[in-house]
Amino acid sequence: MTSPAHDATPATEEDRLRAEVERLRTENRQIHQALAAHAVIDQAIGVLTVLRQITPRDGFTVLRAVSQHTNARLTAVAEPVLKHAQGGALPEELRSQLGAALARHAGPPSGGPTSR
């Protein structure tokens, strides 16, 4: 009598290659998504750096703090900051959290996202 493990047909080389191609496609898609998110976050840090005259490190710290306090993904915080830099309005909760995080981590305002 054979066990079920011995009865299973081993995967063919073609099946193994198909699985590997699918794994690589998934990994590639995830890398592209991460790169796009990273670009948005970096641009938002740049906005804060220019508008608030803070260091990039402080800009990231501010975005991260807002992300944690609003329980939102970092990109969900960064995207409205970018839109605001292009003339859009910040949602009130984000404006409030951003103002508080800037006060905690970046000193007094010199104009920028929370001064409109």
Side-chain angles (χ1 to χ4, degrees), residues 20-75:
E20 180 66 8
V21 166
E22 187 55 37
R23 184 191 68 76
L24 290 172
R25 284 183 178 148
T26 299
E27 184 178 311
N28 190 349
R29 194 169 37 255
Q30 290 169 343
I31 289 170
H32 281 277
Q33 290 170 345
L35 286 173
H38 195 315
V40 168
I41 293 163
D42 282 348
Q43 290 169 17
I45 290 169
V47 166
L48 294 176
T49 299
V50 169
L51 294 179
R52 295 302 298 255
Q53 298 180 349
I54 60 176
T55 67
R57 180 184 293 252
D58 284 342
F60 178 73
T61 299
V62 165
L63 289 178
R64 185 181 61 212
V66 172
S67 171
Q68 291 171 345
H69 281 88
T70 59
N71 198 28
R73 295 179 61 100
L74 203 51
T75 53

